[in-house]
Amino acid sequence: KQEVTQIPAALSVPEGENLVLNCSFTDSAIYNLQWFRQDPGKGLTSLLLIQSSQREQTSGRLNASLDKSSGRSTLYIAASQPGDSATYLCAVGAGSARQLTFGSGTQLTVLP
Amino acid sequence: DVKVTQSSRYLVKRTGEKVFLECVQDMDHENMFWYRQDPGLGLRLIYFSYDVKMKEKGDIPEGYSVSREKKERFSLILESASTNQTSMYLCASRRGRDYGYTFGSGTRLTVV
């Protein structure tokens, strides 16, 4: 059964820092990987989707990479801002239906 | 942008009531999903639907049923609400299995 792990569970950084969030998965037979952001009490907002044939995707200050063979993905956030404070979730799509298995998230706090 | 709308942000129901949670998407997506999210347990898949009138059980279907009579609408039904169904419920949709998920803003259900 696929397991997705996100380390650290919580991270606090000063504004302006570049940071990396990590995601690892146990079964490398995935079709895609998606990063989400969740604000307290709200739904999930999609940030980036990486297909298994891709190595990385970029959107603004965000860059996500995927190393399928080693079962790892990273989300790089450049020049962090207090508005980036949220929980970041990684999810892998596998199986014939490409259903998502979620990690437990990294709670990020960016201090002004 | 695709919009996934959940009809209620907050809901309080009594034990034993039949509860309907509604989800509507506006971009003709084929697939729709219902998750619940609990602290320490993450997101867990309840039911999903690949197309109209089709439904499949997820990881925790007990105590729930679903209905998809129209492509844009996916309803989650709690046949007889219990206190252990107090949770955040999240609906999601996607165009097809190789596409990313779009989530609604969630319904916080409290069963008293």
Side-chain angles (χ1 to χ4, degrees), chain A residues 52-103:
Chain A
S52 61
S53 57
Q54 298 173 318
R55 297 282 295 180
E56 64 180 284
Q57 283 283 355
T58 298
S59 175
R61 295 183 292 110
L62 305 179
N63 176 278
S65 69
L66 174 63
D67 184 342
K68 210 175 94 159
S69 61
S70 68
R72 285 194 236 172
S73 175
T74 61
L75 179 67
Y76 174 82
I77 303 177
S80 58
Q81 303 169 359
D84 294 330
S85 298
T87 296
Y88 290 80
L89 293 154
C90 142
V92 299
S96 59
R98 319 284 201 261
Q99 287 179 40
L100 292 182
T101 300
F102 284 84

Side-chain angles (χ1 to χ4, degrees), chain A residues 15-49:
Chain A
E15 182 176 4
E17 267 203 13
N18 303 324
L19 59 101
V20 173
L21 306 181
N22 296 295
C23 171
S24 62
F25 44 95
T26 54
D27 186 347
S28 61
I30 68 167
Y31 289 95
N32 53 42
L33 183 145
Q34 198 165 357
W35 281 94
F36 296 90
R37 165 192 174 129
Q38 186 174 32
D39 294 294
K42 301 283 178 68
L44 278 64
T45 300
S46 179
L47 298 174
L48 290 162
L49 170 70

Side-chain angles (χ1 to χ4, degrees), chain B residues 40-100:
Chain B
L41 296 175
L43 276 92
R44 293 179 290 168
L45 182 63
I46 306 171
Y47 265 98
F48 59 100
S49 169
Y50 289 135
D51 206 342
V52 179
K53 297 193 186 294
M54 295 178 67
K55 59 185 179 184
E56 298 281 344
K57 292 180 181 179
D59 298 320
I60 50 162
E62 297 78 20
Y64 303 94
S65 62
V66 290
S67 172
R68 194 165 180 204
E69 295 297 317
K70 293 186 177 181
K71 195 172 189 179
E72 66 271 19
R73 185 181 296 272
F74 192 35
S75 303
L76 180 69
I77 304 156
L78 285 66
E79 297 291 342
S80 177
S82 63
T83 55
N84 63 13
Q85 291 178 311
T86 291
S87 186
M88 169 70 103
Y89 288 87
L90 293 162
C91 174
S93 72
R94 68 178 181 185
R95 182 171 300 282
R97 66 178 191 172
D98 292 320
Y99 292 81

